[in-house]
Amino acid sequence: MNGHMKGLLIVVFAICALVLNFTIIDEMVMPDPCYYHNHEMSILLGLFYSSSSASGGHPEINLFNVLFTLSIGGFMGFGVYSFLVKKSD
């Protein structure tokens, strides 16, 4: 397998992780965003979500969440590539 396959797998897994984060994981973690009109977000939730007046006080995915998700997806893609390379040897 060549370097292009490694890059492709990293990018594809990173994009898939981001799509999963925005669709499924976000709905699981934040089923009712209006709950946070009257309640504080936990420290862990505050790390991955931000709440501003522009969003009406609803928590939104922040830049750290996006970068963390892309990193996890990229590492998964690299892991799959490494597994495939070892398997083909």
Side-chain angles (χ1 to χ4, degrees), residues 18 47 73 88:
L18 199 61
L47 185 63
S88 68

Side-chain angles (χ1 to χ4, degrees), residues 18-86:
L18 199 61
V19 169
L20 279 173
N21 186 22
F22 273 96
T23 57
I24 296 171
I25 296 172
D26 188 41
E27 293 297 320
M28 289 172 56
V29 172
M30 196 79 54
D32 182 20
C34 292
Y35 174 80
Y36 296 99
H37 287 291
N38 299 323
H39 299 87
E40 289 281 327
M41 284 193 291
S42 67
I43 294 172
L44 185 62
L45 204 59
L47 185 63
F48 292 98
Y49 292 87
S50 60
S51 179
S52 67
S53 59
S55 66
H58 295 123
E60 294 179 323
I61 293 175
N62 62 15
L63 180 62
F64 177 75
N65 189 330
V66 171
L67 294 176
F68 183 78
T69 303
L70 288 172
S71 298
I72 294 296
F75 285 129
M76 289 174 63
F78 181 76
V80 168
Y81 172 78
S82 298
F83 175 75
L84 292 174
V85 166
K86 284 182 184 179

